[in-house]
Amino acid sequence: MKLGFIGAGKVGTTLAKYLAPHHTIIGFTSRSYKSAKEAANFTGSRAFEHFEELIPLCDTVFITVPDGQIELVWNEILASDIDLQDKNIAHCSGALSSDVFAGREERGAFGYSVHPLFAVPSKTETYQELHKSFFAIEGDSGHLAEMVALIADEGNVVQVIDAAEKVRYHAAAVLASNQVIALYQRACDELVRCGFTPENAEKALAPLFLGNAEHVAQDGVIASLTGPAERGDTATIQKHLDCLDGSTREVYSLLNDTLLEIAARKHGSNN
Ligand SMILES: NC(=O)c1ccc[n+]([C@@H]2O[C@H](COP(=O)([O-])OP(=O)(O)OC[C@H]3O[C@@H](n4cnc5c(N)ncnc54)[C@H](OP(=O)(O)O)[C@@H]3O)[C@@H](O)[C@H]2O)c1
C-alpha cells in the first residue's frame, strides 16, 4: 500500500516506521513543516507542505492529529477538490469512529478507524514494540479486508468492531487503564488512614499491584483470582465493608460482586 500521514506526531511517525518494511511510505504533512521533515527523515519518506500534494500519491491516508483536530482536517480535505475516489481515509483515535468522516461516500472514499490498544509515548522508539499491540479496526466494508491485512500481516492481532460500539470499546480501555489508577488512589487513601505517608502508601502497594497485573496479563483473570472472594470468605468481606465508608465502600462492594462471579466461574459454582 502507498501510505500518507497527516500529523507527524507520535502515532503517525511510529505507525509509518512500523509499516515501512512492507509498504511504501509516501510521506507526511503536519501543522509544522519541521515535524513533517523529521518524520520523513526517520521513515525514509518525503515531507510535504500541504496535504493537496500528498493525498493524490497515496492509497491510504492516516489523519494522525489529536482527536479534536481530526474532523477539522477531514473537513479541510472535503473542501478541497482532491480526487478521493477509492482512497482509504483513516484515523487512530480510540474514542472516535469512522463516522467522523462524514460525506466520504459522495466523494468515493472509504473511512476507517485503526486503533492501537497501546501507549505510544515516543516518536522514534515505540515502533520497536508495536508488534505487541492489539488493534481494533472498524469502517466501510469495501476495503475493510485490506485495512485489516495492513495490520494483521505484521503479526498483530486485529479485532474488527462496529462503529456503533466504538464508545463502549474506548470505555473498556479506560476501565482497564486509567480507572485502575483511581482504584490505586483509593487503596492509598485507606493506607494513609492507617498511618502511612502518601509516598509510602504508593510504594507499599507497588509490588502487589505489579505482581497482580503481570499475573492477569499472562494467565487471565480466573487463574489470577486470589483473596477473600476467591476463598468464599464472606466474613472477611463483611468486615471490609463494615470498616470502609462512602464511595470507597460502594466501589469495593460493586467490584466484589464481579470477583464473586469470577470465583463462581473458577470453581464451577455460586459459592
Ligand atoms: N499517543 C498514544 O499513546 C496514542 C495511542 C493510541 C492512539 N492514539 C491516537 O493517535 C492520534 C494521534 O495522537 P498522537 O499521540 O500521535 O498525538 P501527537 O503526538 O500530539 O501528534 C499529533 C500531531 O498532529 C499534528 N497536528 C496537530 N493539529 C494538526 C492539524 N490541524 N493539521 C495537521 N497536523 C496537525 C501535530 O503537528 P506539529 O508537530 O506539526 O505541530 C502533531 O505532530 C490521536 O487520534 C490519538 O487519540 C494515540
Side-chain angles (χ1 to χ4, degrees):
M1 249 190 217
K2 293 179 192 159
L3 305 173
F5 293 82
I6 301 174
K10 296 184 283 296
V11 167
T13 309
T14 296
L15 197 56
K17 184 76 174 173
Y18 185 63
L19 296 173
H22 301 122
H23 297 274
T24 305
I25 308 302
I26 300 294
F28 289 82
T29 62
S30 202
R31 191 171 41 191
S32 73
Y33 186 74
K34 180 174 172 284
S35 296
K37 190 75 192 141
E38 283 169 5
N41 288 345
F42 185 61
T43 57
S45 62
R46 284 176 59 193
F48 294 80
E49 293 280 2
H50 198 266
F51 62 68
E52 290 189 1
E53 302 149 32
L54 171 69
I55 294 175
L57 305 176
C58 304
D59 315 309
T60 298
V61 177
F62 280 93
I63 303 180
T64 43
V65 298
D67 284 12
Q69 295 287 309
I70 292 171
E71 193 171 5
L72 296 172
V73 171
W74 169 241
N75 285 336
E76 283 178 35
I77 295 171
L78 266 189
S80 73
D81 57 6
I82 305 170
D83 182 4
L84 297 176
Q85 189 68 36
D86 280 335
K87 297 207 186 283
N88 302 319
I89 310 292
H91 65 70
C92 295
S93 166
L96 300 173
S97 77
S98 56
D99 290 348
V100 73
F101 300 132
R104 62 188 182 277
E105 299 90 346
E106 291 84 335
R107 300 286 288 270
F110 296 80
Y112 300 94
S113 68
V114 177
H115 180 241
L117 200 44
F118 206 68
V120 182
S122 160
K123 283 187 186 182
T124 55
E125 286 172 23
T126 314
Y127 79 93
Q128 298 174 78
E129 292 184 84
L130 204 60
H131 61 276
K132 297 180 199 162
S133 176
F134 211 101
F135 278 75
I137 298 183
E138 59 76 26
D140 296 322
S141 58
H143 293 173
L144 186 60
E146 70 183 57
M147 292 303 286
V148 169
L150 174 71
I151 302 298
D153 287 355
E154 299 298 324
N156 297 83
V157 182
V158 174
Q159 177 69 50
V160 174
I161 65 170
D162 282 345
E165 296 295 3
K166 196 69 197 285
V167 174
R168 187 185 308 284
Y169 161 83
H170 192 240
V174 168
L175 272 171
S177 55
N178 305 150
Q179 295 247 337
V180 175
I181 297 172
L183 202 55
Y184 200 87
Q185 181 64 60
R186 294 297 182 107
C188 289
D189 293 345
E190 296 305 319
L191 286 189
V192 168
R193 291 175 76 177
C194 300
F196 286 58
T197 64
E199 296 74 27
N200 274 350
E202 286 200 26
K203 275 190 199 148
L205 291 169
L208 194 62
F209 174 77
L210 287 174
N212 193 51
E214 288 232 330
H215 201 180
V216 173
Q218 279 171 18
D219 306 316
V221 289
I222 289 183
S224 307
L225 185 64
T226 58
E230 196 272 337
R231 294 190 293 273
D233 182 354
T234 49
T236 299
I237 292 167
Q238 190 55 53
K239 279 190 206 163
H240 291 168
L241 288 169
D242 290 345
C243 107
L244 294 172
D245 47 34
S247 56
T248 298
R249 185 179 190 281
E250 284 177 52
V251 167
Y252 184 104
S253 178
L254 288 170
L255 292 178
N256 189 62
D257 289 346
T258 300
L259 292 180
L260 290 174
E261 285 164 25
I262 299 168
R265 279 195 278 143
K266 183 167 184 171
H267 300 299
S269 70
N270 292 318
N271 64 331

